[in-house]
Amino acid sequence: LIRVSGALFDQSLTCPRVINADIELGHLRVTDLGDKVYLAEMRRQPDRVDALYEDAIAALIRMLEVECELLPYDEKRLRDEMALFHELFLPKQLNVGVTADGQHLLESVYDLLVDNALCQPQRFVHRDYHSRNLMVIDGSGPGILDFQDAVIGPVTYDLVTLPAKKWHWRARTSALKLSQLIKREHEYTTLLTSSVTSLAELLGLRPDLSKLR
């Protein structure tokens, strides 16, 4: 954490600065970034959402240039984390069992995601870069928190996950739920979905629906 904090500062990014450290006891004294969490500020002032995200993306672009010796976001780590989707999330949160065909489909998706991640330029990855871990700092870019699990990985990772926690998990998994609710045998001609639902995800799970308007 101390090393990452220093690397972020070297790139002119705002994060808690370590003032004193007792490594043996595991104690740190760091600077305080205040109490204006991005998510709370966006809820309180919706007209600032675009500007706050623009600042977060600008900081993210600078963060990609951070140089620090970190573990790689390699294939094993990627697959271990993806496995949590079918091992924990589906059965525990959604109460959804995975059939043999479903597992085969998931594995093919995992293969695609791993190949894509590993072929991208590898840069500094925060791994939890979203509105709950960013602080509004007046006169500066966002204050960056929770960077202790940073790795070297795919250049697009943090950008993709930045808005991920804007919606409740039930909304973010609505495509999966809809793919199961819509009957395989139907006479539908039109498909209407909420803006919260990712149509691309839904059609990826149910390609038979791509013929609908």
mmCIF file of all heavy atoms in Angstrom, residues 23-59:
data_model
loop_
_atom_site.group_PDB
_atom_site.id
_atom_site.type_symbol
_atom_site.label_atom_id
_atom_site.label_comp_id
_atom_site.label_asym_id
_atom_site.label_seq_id
_atom_site.Cartn_x
_atom_site.Cartn_y
_atom_site.Cartn_z
ATOM 1 N N ILE A 23 5.663 -0.698 10.287
ATOM 2 C CA ILE A 23 5.406 -1.904 9.508
ATOM 3 C C ILE A 23 5.184 -3.111 10.416
ATOM 4 O O ILE A 23 4.313 -3.947 10.156
ATOM 5 C CB ILE A 23 6.570 -2.171 8.541
ATOM 6 C CG1 ILE A 23 6.805 -0.952 7.634
ATOM 7 C CG2 ILE A 23 6.288 -3.408 7.707
ATOM 8 C CD1 ILE A 23 5.608 -0.557 6.818
ATOM 9 N N GLU A 24 5.956 -3.212 11.507
ATOM 10 C CA GLU A 24 5.839 -4.364 12.391
ATOM 11 C C GLU A 24 4.459 -4.440 13.032
ATOM 12 O O GLU A 24 3.876 -5.518 13.171
ATOM 13 C CB GLU A 24 6.923 -4.308 13.468
ATOM 14 C CG GLU A 24 8.336 -4.534 12.928
ATOM 15 C CD GLU A 24 9.365 -4.594 14.044
ATOM 16 O OE1 GLU A 24 8.950 -4.489 15.224
ATOM 17 O OE2 GLU A 24 10.562 -4.745 13.742
ATOM 18 N N LEU A 25 3.937 -3.300 13.447
ATOM 19 C CA LEU A 25 2.613 -3.275 14.075
ATOM 20 C C LEU A 25 1.488 -3.183 13.050
ATOM 21 O O LEU A 25 0.320 -3.394 13.384
ATOM 22 C CB LEU A 25 2.514 -2.098 15.051
ATOM 23 C CG LEU A 25 3.400 -2.161 16.293
ATOM 24 C CD1 LEU A 25 3.229 -0.899 17.128
ATOM 25 C CD2 LEU A 25 3.061 -3.391 17.136
ATOM 26 N N GLY A 26 1.844 -2.840 11.807
ATOM 27 C CA GLY A 26 0.822 -2.691 10.776
ATOM 28 C C GLY A 26 0.020 -1.419 10.906
ATOM 29 O O GLY A 26 -1.143 -1.355 10.493
ATOM 30 N N HIS A 27 0.642 -0.375 11.489
ATOM 31 C CA HIS A 27 -0.045 0.902 11.680
ATOM 32 C C HIS A 27 0.447 1.928 10.667
ATOM 33 O O HIS A 27 1.649 2.022 10.392
ATOM 34 C CB HIS A 27 0.212 1.444 13.092
ATOM 35 C CG HIS A 27 -0.414 0.610 14.155
ATOM 36 N ND1 HIS A 27 -0.174 0.803 15.499
ATOM 37 C CD2 HIS A 27 -1.319 -0.409 14.083
ATOM 38 C CE1 HIS A 27 -0.864 -0.067 16.200
ATOM 39 N NE2 HIS A 27 -1.564 -0.814 15.367
ATOM 40 N N LEU A 28 -0.482 2.694 10.131
ATOM 41 C CA LEU A 28 -0.160 3.785 9.217
ATOM 42 C C LEU A 28 -0.869 5.052 9.670
ATOM 43 O O LEU A 28 -2.003 4.989 10.161
ATOM 44 C CB LEU A 28 -0.610 3.466 7.782
ATOM 45 C CG LEU A 28 0.036 2.291 7.051
ATOM 46 C CD1 LEU A 28 -0.632 2.120 5.685
ATOM 47 C CD2 LEU A 28 1.526 2.500 6.876
ATOM 48 N N ARG A 29 -0.210 6.181 9.494
ATOM 49 C CA ARG A 29 -0.873 7.476 9.683
ATOM 50 C C ARG A 29 -0.888 8.148 8.323
ATOM 51 O O ARG A 29 0.170 8.374 7.719
ATOM 52 C CB ARG A 29 -0.135 8.346 10.694
ATOM 53 C CG ARG A 29 -0.887 9.641 11.032
ATOM 54 C CD ARG A 29 -0.404 10.219 12.362
ATOM 55 N NE ARG A 29 0.938 10.760 12.261
ATOM 56 C CZ ARG A 29 1.205 12.066 12.111
ATOM 57 N NH1 ARG A 29 0.218 12.944 12.035
ATOM 58 N NH2 ARG A 29 2.453 12.479 12.050
ATOM 59 N N VAL A 30 -2.087 8.432 7.832
ATOM 60 C CA VAL A 30 -2.217 8.949 6.478
ATOM 61 C C VAL A 30 -3.041 10.231 6.478
ATOM 62 O O VAL A 30 -3.752 10.537 7.438
ATOM 63 C CB VAL A 30 -2.888 7.912 5.539
ATOM 64 C CG1 VAL A 30 -2.089 6.620 5.500
ATOM 65 C CG2 VAL A 30 -4.317 7.625 5.985
ATOM 66 N N THR A 31 -2.951 10.963 5.390
ATOM 67 C CA THR A 31 -3.725 12.193 5.247
ATOM 68 C C THR A 31 -5.201 11.861 5.036
ATOM 69 O O THR A 31 -5.551 10.801 4.525
ATOM 70 C CB THR A 31 -3.209 13.032 4.069
ATOM 71 O OG1 THR A 31 -3.178 12.214 2.892
ATOM 72 C CG2 THR A 31 -1.808 13.559 4.346
ATOM 73 N N ASP A 32 -6.053 12.796 5.426
ATOM 74 C CA ASP A 32 -7.502 12.627 5.353
ATOM 75 C C ASP A 32 -8.025 13.328 4.099
ATOM 76 O O ASP A 32 -7.745 14.505 3.870
ATOM 77 C CB ASP A 32 -8.137 13.230 6.607
ATOM 78 C CG ASP A 32 -9.637 12.973 6.683
ATOM 79 O OD1 ASP A 32 -10.187 12.364 5.744
ATOM 80 O OD2 ASP A 32 -10.249 13.391 7.684
ATOM 81 N N LEU A 33 -8.784 12.603 3.303
ATOM 82 C CA LEU A 33 -9.336 13.181 2.067
ATOM 83 C C LEU A 33 -10.761 13.706 2.247
ATOM 84 O O LEU A 33 -11.430 14.030 1.272
ATOM 85 C CB LEU A 33 -9.303 12.151 0.937
ATOM 86 C CG LEU A 33 -7.915 11.648 0.529
ATOM 87 C CD1 LEU A 33 -8.019 10.735 -0.685
ATOM 88 C CD2 LEU A 33 -6.967 12.797 0.248
ATOM 89 N N GLY A 34 -11.215 13.816 3.476
ATOM 90 C CA GLY A 34 -12.538 14.380 3.702
ATOM 91 C C GLY A 34 -13.636 13.338 3.701
ATOM 92 O O GLY A 34 -13.383 12.140 3.814
ATOM 93 N N ASP A 35 -14.882 13.789 3.537
ATOM 94 C CA ASP A 35 -16.024 12.880 3.631
ATOM 95 C C ASP A 35 -16.983 12.987 2.451
ATOM 96 O O ASP A 35 -18.108 12.494 2.505
ATOM 97 C CB ASP A 35 -16.786 13.130 4.933
ATOM 98 C CG ASP A 35 -17.288 14.571 5.057
ATOM 99 O OD1 ASP A 35 -17.081 15.351 4.104
ATOM 100 O OD2 ASP A 35 -17.876 14.899 6.098
ATOM 101 N N LYS A 36 -16.543 13.621 1.353
ATOM 102 C CA LYS A 36 -17.412 13.755 0.182
ATOM 103 C C LYS A 36 -17.191 12.589 -0.787
ATOM 104 O O LYS A 36 -16.382 12.662 -1.706
ATOM 105 C CB LYS A 36 -17.144 15.084 -0.533
ATOM 106 C CG LYS A 36 -17.548 16.312 0.260
ATOM 107 C CD LYS A 36 -17.321 17.575 -0.566
ATOM 108 C CE LYS A 36 -17.752 18.822 0.173
ATOM 109 N NZ LYS A 36 -17.530 20.043 -0.619
ATOM 110 N N VAL A 37 -17.909 11.513 -0.531
ATOM 111 C CA VAL A 37 -17.796 10.339 -1.390
ATOM 112 C C VAL A 37 -18.504 10.607 -2.725
ATOM 113 O O VAL A 37 -19.591 11.196 -2.759
ATOM 114 C CB VAL A 37 -18.416 9.107 -0.700
ATOM 115 C CG1 VAL A 37 -18.287 7.867 -1.581
ATOM 116 C CG2 VAL A 37 -17.746 8.881 0.647
ATOM 117 N N TYR A 38 -17.897 10.175 -3.823
ATOM 118 C CA TYR A 38 -18.460 10.400 -5.159
ATOM 119 C C TYR A 38 -19.927 9.994 -5.243
ATOM 120 O O TYR A 38 -20.768 10.751 -5.729
ATOM 121 C CB TYR A 38 -17.650 9.593 -6.190
ATOM 122 C CG TYR A 38 -16.832 10.416 -7.144
ATOM 123 C CD1 TYR A 38 -15.851 11.301 -6.669
ATOM 124 C CD2 TYR A 38 -17.000 10.303 -8.516
ATOM 125 C CE1 TYR A 38 -15.087 12.042 -7.547
ATOM 126 C CE2 TYR A 38 -16.243 11.041 -9.394
ATOM 127 C CZ TYR A 38 -15.292 11.910 -8.919
ATOM 128 O OH TYR A 38 -14.539 12.645 -9.796
ATOM 129 N N LEU A 39 -20.240 8.784 -4.786
ATOM 130 C CA LEU A 39 -21.597 8.274 -4.930
ATOM 131 C C LEU A 39 -22.597 9.170 -4.212
ATOM 132 O O LEU A 39 -23.649 9.513 -4.770
ATOM 133 C CB LEU A 39 -21.680 6.847 -4.384
ATOM 134 C CG LEU A 39 -23.045 6.172 -4.481
ATOM 135 C CD1 LEU A 39 -23.500 6.072 -5.926
ATOM 136 C CD2 LEU A 39 -23.002 4.785 -3.841
ATOM 137 N N ALA A 40 -22.272 9.568 -2.990
ATOM 138 C CA ALA A 40 -23.182 10.426 -2.221
ATOM 139 C C ALA A 40 -23.346 11.786 -2.876
ATOM 140 O O ALA A 40 -24.455 12.339 -2.925
ATOM 141 C CB ALA A 40 -22.650 10.588 -0.790
ATOM 142 N N GLU A 41 -22.250 12.337 -3.399
ATOM 143 C CA GLU A 41 -22.322 13.641 -4.049
ATOM 144 C C GLU A 41 -23.141 13.572 -5.336
ATOM 145 O O GLU A 41 -23.885 14.492 -5.659
ATOM 146 C CB GLU A 41 -20.911 14.157 -4.356
ATOM 147 C CG GLU A 41 -20.153 14.620 -3.131
ATOM 148 C CD GLU A 41 -20.825 15.790 -2.441
ATOM 149 O OE1 GLU A 41 -20.999 16.847 -3.086
ATOM 150 O OE2 GLU A 41 -21.200 15.658 -1.261
ATOM 151 N N MET A 42 -23.029 12.484 -6.071
ATOM 152 C CA MET A 42 -23.795 12.335 -7.308
ATOM 153 C C MET A 42 -25.287 12.192 -7.012
ATOM 154 O O MET A 42 -26.125 12.661 -7.778
ATOM 155 C CB MET A 42 -23.277 11.147 -8.115
ATOM 156 C CG MET A 42 -21.906 11.412 -8.741
ATOM 157 S SD MET A 42 -21.408 10.166 -9.966
ATOM 158 C CE MET A 42 -21.129 8.767 -8.893
ATOM 159 N N ARG A 43 -25.607 11.549 -5.913
ATOM 160 C CA ARG A 43 -27.017 11.445 -5.528
ATOM 161 C C ARG A 43 -27.549 12.788 -5.050
ATOM 162 O O ARG A 43 -28.698 13.132 -5.307
ATOM 163 C CB ARG A 43 -27.159 10.400 -4.419
ATOM 164 C CG ARG A 43 -27.013 8.959 -4.903
ATOM 165 C CD ARG A 43 -27.007 7.994 -3.740
ATOM 166 N NE ARG A 43 -27.019 6.609 -4.199
ATOM 167 C CZ ARG A 43 -26.833 5.550 -3.404
ATOM 168 N NH1 ARG A 43 -26.619 5.748 -2.101
ATOM 169 N NH2 ARG A 43 -26.852 4.326 -3.894
ATOM 170 N N ARG A 44 -26.698 13.534 -4.360
ATOM 171 C CA ARG A 44 -27.123 14.828 -3.815
ATOM 172 C C ARG A 44 -27.193 15.883 -4.894
ATOM 173 O O ARG A 44 -28.065 16.762 -4.862
ATOM 174 C CB ARG A 44 -26.139 15.260 -2.722
ATOM 175 C CG ARG A 44 -26.587 16.450 -1.898
ATOM 176 C CD ARG A 44 -25.674 16.671 -0.707
ATOM 177 N NE ARG A 44 -24.342 17.058 -1.125
ATOM 178 C CZ ARG A 44 -23.978 18.325 -1.377
ATOM 179 N NH1 ARG A 44 -24.867 19.294 -1.269
ATOM 180 N NH2 ARG A 44 -22.746 18.607 -1.735
ATOM 181 N N GLN A 45 -26.278 15.816 -5.874
ATOM 182 C CA GLN A 45 -26.231 16.812 -6.948
ATOM 183 C C GLN A 45 -26.152 16.099 -8.306
ATOM 184 O O GLN A 45 -25.077 15.993 -8.891
ATOM 185 C CB GLN A 45 -25.016 17.726 -6.780
ATOM 186 C CG GLN A 45 -24.985 18.481 -5.463
ATOM 187 C CD GLN A 45 -23.812 19.436 -5.402
ATOM 188 O OE1 GLN A 45 -23.732 20.409 -6.154
ATOM 189 N NE2 GLN A 45 -22.873 19.163 -4.499
ATOM 190 N N PRO A 46 -27.275 15.591 -8.800
ATOM 191 C CA PRO A 46 -27.270 14.835 -10.058
ATOM 192 C C PRO A 46 -26.694 15.623 -11.244
ATOM 193 O O PRO A 46 -26.167 15.014 -12.183
ATOM 194 C CB PRO A 46 -28.757 14.525 -10.285
ATOM 195 C CG PRO A 46 -29.365 14.605 -8.922
ATOM 196 C CD PRO A 46 -28.609 15.671 -8.199
ATOM 197 N N ASP A 47 -26.778 16.945 -11.183
ATOM 198 C CA ASP A 47 -26.260 17.742 -12.291
ATOM 199 C C ASP A 47 -24.738 17.694 -12.359
ATOM 200 O O ASP A 47 -24.149 18.131 -13.366
ATOM 201 C CB ASP A 47 -26.726 19.193 -12.157
ATOM 202 C CG ASP A 47 -26.298 19.835 -10.841
ATOM 203 O OD1 ASP A 47 -26.467 19.178 -9.793
ATOM 204 O OD2 ASP A 47 -25.795 20.964 -10.866
ATOM 205 N N ARG A 48 -24.072 17.153 -11.352
ATOM 206 C CA ARG A 48 -22.616 17.071 -11.344
ATOM 207 C C ARG A 48 -22.093 15.715 -11.818
ATOM 208 O O ARG A 48 -20.882 15.517 -11.927
ATOM 209 C CB ARG A 48 -22.064 17.329 -9.938
ATOM 210 C CG ARG A 48 -22.317 18.712 -9.393
ATOM 211 C CD ARG A 48 -21.508 18.922 -8.112
ATOM 212 N NE ARG A 48 -20.072 18.898 -8.365
ATOM 213 C CZ ARG A 48 -19.156 18.854 -7.392
ATOM 214 N NH1 ARG A 48 -19.542 18.821 -6.122
ATOM 215 N NH2 ARG A 48 -17.866 18.830 -7.688
ATOM 216 N N VAL A 49 -22.987 14.787 -12.100
ATOM 217 C CA VAL A 49 -22.564 13.423 -12.431
ATOM 218 C C VAL A 49 -21.590 13.401 -13.599
ATOM 219 O O VAL A 49 -20.509 12.792 -13.526
ATOM 220 C CB VAL A 49 -23.779 12.527 -12.729
ATOM 221 C CG1 VAL A 49 -23.334 11.196 -13.324
ATOM 222 C CG2 VAL A 49 -24.572 12.282 -11.456
ATOM 223 N N ASP A 50 -21.936 14.062 -14.708
ATOM 224 C CA ASP A 50 -21.074 14.039 -15.890
ATOM 225 C C ASP A 50 -19.699 14.624 -15.587
ATOM 226 O O ASP A 50 -18.665 14.053 -15.979
ATOM 227 C CB ASP A 50 -21.726 14.800 -17.042
ATOM 228 C CG ASP A 50 -22.918 14.056 -17.635
ATOM 229 O OD1 ASP A 50 -23.070 12.854 -17.325
ATOM 230 O OD2 ASP A 50 -23.690 14.669 -18.386
ATOM 231 N N ALA A 51 -19.680 15.757 -14.895
ATOM 232 C CA ALA A 51 -18.403 16.407 -14.588
ATOM 233 C C ALA A 51 -17.548 15.533 -13.676
ATOM 234 O O ALA A 51 -16.326 15.435 -13.855
ATOM 235 C CB ALA A 51 -18.647 17.767 -13.938
ATOM 236 N N LEU A 52 -18.176 14.884 -12.699
ATOM 237 C CA LEU A 52 -17.428 14.031 -11.783
ATOM 238 C C LEU A 52 -16.848 12.827 -12.508
ATOM 239 O O LEU A 52 -15.692 12.435 -12.278
ATOM 240 C CB LEU A 52 -18.318 13.579 -10.630
ATOM 241 C CG LEU A 52 -18.696 14.660 -9.611
ATOM 242 C CD1 LEU A 52 -19.713 14.130 -8.608
ATOM 243 C CD2 LEU A 52 -17.452 15.167 -8.888
ATOM 244 N N TYR A 53 -17.631 12.235 -13.393
ATOM 245 C CA TYR A 53 -17.113 11.094 -14.157
ATOM 246 C C TYR A 53 -16.012 11.529 -15.121
ATOM 247 O O TYR A 53 -15.051 10.787 -15.354
ATOM 248 C CB TYR A 53 -18.232 10.381 -14.903
ATOM 249 C CG TYR A 53 -18.886 9.288 -14.098
ATOM 250 C CD1 TYR A 53 -20.252 9.283 -13.849
ATOM 251 C CD2 TYR A 53 -18.127 8.249 -13.558
ATOM 252 C CE1 TYR A 53 -20.847 8.281 -13.096
ATOM 253 C CE2 TYR A 53 -18.708 7.244 -12.813
ATOM 254 C CZ TYR A 53 -20.061 7.258 -12.585
ATOM 255 O OH TYR A 53 -20.648 6.265 -11.834
ATOM 256 N N GLU A 54 -16.125 12.705 -15.693
ATOM 257 C CA GLU A 54 -15.057 13.213 -16.553
ATOM 258 C C GLU A 54 -13.758 13.354 -15.777
ATOM 259 O O GLU A 54 -12.681 12.993 -16.261
ATOM 260 C CB GLU A 54 -15.471 14.556 -17.163
ATOM 261 C CG GLU A 54 -16.512 14.445 -18.262
ATOM 262 C CD GLU A 54 -16.974 15.807 -18.762
ATOM 263 O OE1 GLU A 54 -16.401 16.826 -18.309
ATOM 264 O OE2 GLU A 54 -17.897 15.847 -19.594
ATOM 265 N N ASP A 55 -13.851 13.869 -14.545
ATOM 266 C CA ASP A 55 -12.667 13.987 -13.696
ATOM 267 C C ASP A 55 -12.099 12.608 -13.361
ATOM 268 O O ASP A 55 -10.872 12.411 -13.346
ATOM 269 C CB ASP A 55 -13.018 14.719 -12.399
ATOM 270 C CG ASP A 55 -13.229 16.210 -12.601
ATOM 271 O OD1 ASP A 55 -12.852 16.723 -13.672
ATOM 272 O OD2 ASP A 55 -13.779 16.868 -11.680
ATOM 273 N N ALA A 56 -12.989 11.663 -13.089
ATOM 274 C CA ALA A 56 -12.541 10.315 -12.743
ATOM 275 C C ALA A 56 -11.833 9.652 -13.924
ATOM 276 O O ALA A 56 -10.822 8.954 -13.752
ATOM 277 C CB ALA A 56 -13.731 9.467 -12.301
ATOM 278 N N ILE A 57 -12.349 9.870 -15.128
ATOM 279 C CA ILE A 57 -11.724 9.282 -16.317
ATOM 280 C C ILE A 57 -10.381 9.944 -16.600
ATOM 281 O O ILE A 57 -9.406 9.280 -16.970
ATOM 282 C CB ILE A 57 -12.667 9.391 -17.527
ATOM 283 C CG1 ILE A 57 -13.889 8.478 -17.314
ATOM 284 C CG2 ILE A 57 -11.949 9.011 -18.816
ATOM 285 C CD1 ILE A 57 -14.979 8.644 -18.349
ATOM 286 N N ALA A 58 -10.307 11.255 -16.409
ATOM 287 C CA ALA A 58 -9.039 11.962 -16.602
ATOM 288 C C ALA A 58 -7.985 11.427 -15.636
ATOM 289 O O ALA A 58 -6.818 11.220 -16.014
ATOM 290 C CB ALA A 58 -9.238 13.459 -16.413
ATOM 291 N N ALA A 59 -8.390 11.207 -14.387
ATOM 292 C CA ALA A 59 -7.454 10.645 -13.404
ATOM 293 C C ALA A 59 -7.070 9.218 -13.783
ATOM 294 O O ALA A 59 -5.911 8.811 -13.621
ATOM 295 C CB ALA A 59 -8.079 10.670 -12.013
#
